[in-house]
């Protein structure tokens, strides 16, 4: 296999989908027939491209959106596998990418009350839930792990208002889960493509508009660079 951003992204993503875990650097080096130091440089390049998030001390895969290799508040489970999602948006994207009946277990506002989101025959059965997006997209990659940690499920917009006040969090955009589900299917729909490329900022803006994500949280200046 030729080693580039697309082939490396596909190899890691395929491994996560099939096995529920990311491949180790050594495994990737053997698969691509390159030395470990060359693989680490390729992984860093993919990270700079916003295609992966690496553990800072080891270059092992920490996050490959929409999946996490570390424990999170979003547990995805089907009859034939289980995974961690980074956030509400990512977990729905993972469900779309996995393309099977499954459940997403999380807690409302990352607090005590658990909720199980059921996806069956390509539909979200829990239609009365909401997702809060408090971090502006223009700042999403400043600390993408933190950004993901704040994209949570709630039972109502009033609950979001109360949660923001209690936790000193600015209120962002509130979206019904159904709209985020439809958006996630398109946003992550190309992530298992061998020829995957990262959305550009302009492409991202077009998708935001397509799914009526018009709150200021989604505003970004026009840019042909990657999101």
């Amino acid at each position: 296999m030729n080693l580039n951003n697309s082939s490396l992204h596909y190899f890691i993503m395929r491994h996560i989908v099939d096995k529920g875990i990311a491949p180790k650097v050594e495994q990737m080096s053997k698969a691509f027939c390159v030395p470990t130091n060359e693989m680490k440089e390729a992984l860093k390049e993919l990270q700079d491209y916003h295609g992966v998030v690496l553990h800072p001390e080891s270059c092992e895969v920490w996050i490959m959106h929409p999946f996490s290799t570390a424990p999170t508040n979003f547990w995805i489970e089907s009859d034939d596998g289980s995974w961690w999602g980074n956030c509400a948006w990512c977990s729905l994207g993972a469900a779309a990418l996995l393309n099977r009946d499954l459940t997403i277990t999380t807690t409302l506002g990352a607090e005590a009350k658990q909720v199980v989101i059921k996806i069956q025959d390509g539909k979200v059965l829990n239609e009365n839930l909401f997702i809060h997006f408090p971090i502006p997209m223009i700042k999403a990659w400043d600390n993408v792990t933190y950004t993901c940690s704040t994209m949570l499920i709630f039972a109502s917009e009033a609950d979001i208002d109360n949660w923001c006040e209690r936790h000193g969090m600015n209120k962002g955009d509130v979206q019904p889960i159904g709209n985020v589900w439809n958006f996630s299917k398109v946003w992550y729909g190309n992530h298992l493509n061998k020829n995957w490329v990262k959305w550009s900022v302009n492409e991202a803006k077009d998708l935001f508009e397509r799914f009526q994500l018009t709150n200021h949280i989604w505003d970004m200046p026009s840019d042909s660079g990657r999101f």
Side-chain angles (χ1 to χ4, degrees):
M1 290 184 289
N2 292 326
L3 179 57
N4 53 49
N5 282 341
S6 298
S7 62
L8 184 54
H9 182 276
Y10 176 78
F11 183 86
I12 299 169
M13 187 66 75
R14 184 79 264 171
H15 197 283
I16 293 173
V17 168
D18 292 344
K19 301 180 183 298
I21 58 175
K24 299 296 185 182
V25 172
E26 184 177 352
Q27 291 175 278
M28 290 183 274
S29 296
K30 290 179 179 178
F32 284 91
C33 300
V34 299
T36 300
N37 63 332
E38 186 175 336
M39 177 53 64
K40 288 182 177 179
E41 289 305 311
L43 285 163
K44 290 176 182 177
E45 183 178 332
L46 183 59
Q47 178 171 248
D48 290 342
Y49 189 63
H50 290 177
V52 71
V53 179
L54 305 174
H55 286 282
E57 301 300 327
S58 68
C59 284
E60 299 291 355
V61 175
W62 181 2
I63 291 168
M64 176 164 272
H65 294 92
F67 298 100
S68 173
T69 68
T72 71
N73 191 42
F74 292 86
W75 179 243
I76 305 162
E77 192 168 17
S78 70
D79 288 340
D80 57 355
S82 53
W83 305 262
W84 280 303
N86 298 287
C87 61
W89 177 8
C90 281
S91 297
L92 291 172
L97 198 62
L98 292 164
N99 192 28
R100 65 197 76 177
D101 293 349
L102 51 76
T103 58
I104 301 169
T105 301
T106 186
T107 56
L108 298 179
E111 296 179 340
K113 188 173 181 180
Q114 190 179 81
V115 61
V116 179
I117 300 164
K118 296 181 180 180
I119 297 179
Q120 186 175 323
D121 297 326
K123 298 179 180 179
V124 177
L125 302 187
N126 315 58
E127 295 183 347
N128 58 338
L129 296 172
F130 298 86
I131 298 175
H132 182 216
F133 297 87
I135 307 297
M137 289 298 112
I138 196 171
K139 296 181 177 295
W141 280 93
D142 290 353
N143 185 338
V144 72
T145 307
Y146 173 73
T147 298
C148 282
S149 75
T150 66
M151 296 179 185
L152 302 169
I153 298 284
F154 292 86
S156 69
E157 187 161 0
D159 288 346
I160 294 171
D161 291 335
N162 179 269
W163 184 90
C164 288
E165 183 176 354
R166 286 187 291 108
H167 293 291
M169 179 73 72
N170 291 329
K171 185 179 179 181
D173 190 29
V174 178
Q175 288 289 324
I177 193 171
N179 191 42
V180 181
W181 168 240
N182 290 328
F183 169 55
S184 297
K185 286 190 285 187
V186 177
W187 185 265
Y188 285 109
N190 197 39
H191 274 52
L192 262 178
N193 189 324
K194 292 182 179 180
N195 298 314
W196 167 90
V197 292
K198 193 78 167 72
W199 294 117
S200 70
V201 172
N202 289 339
E203 289 170 333
K205 285 165 61 70
D206 288 344
L207 282 175
F208 297 163
E209 183 177 351
R210 174 178 166 185
F211 288 93
Q212 299 180 346
L213 302 174
T214 57
N215 184 281
H216 70 90
I217 286 294
W218 304 92
D219 290 344
M220 292 189 298
S222 296
D223 189 334
S224 59
R226 54 93 181 98
F227 173 69

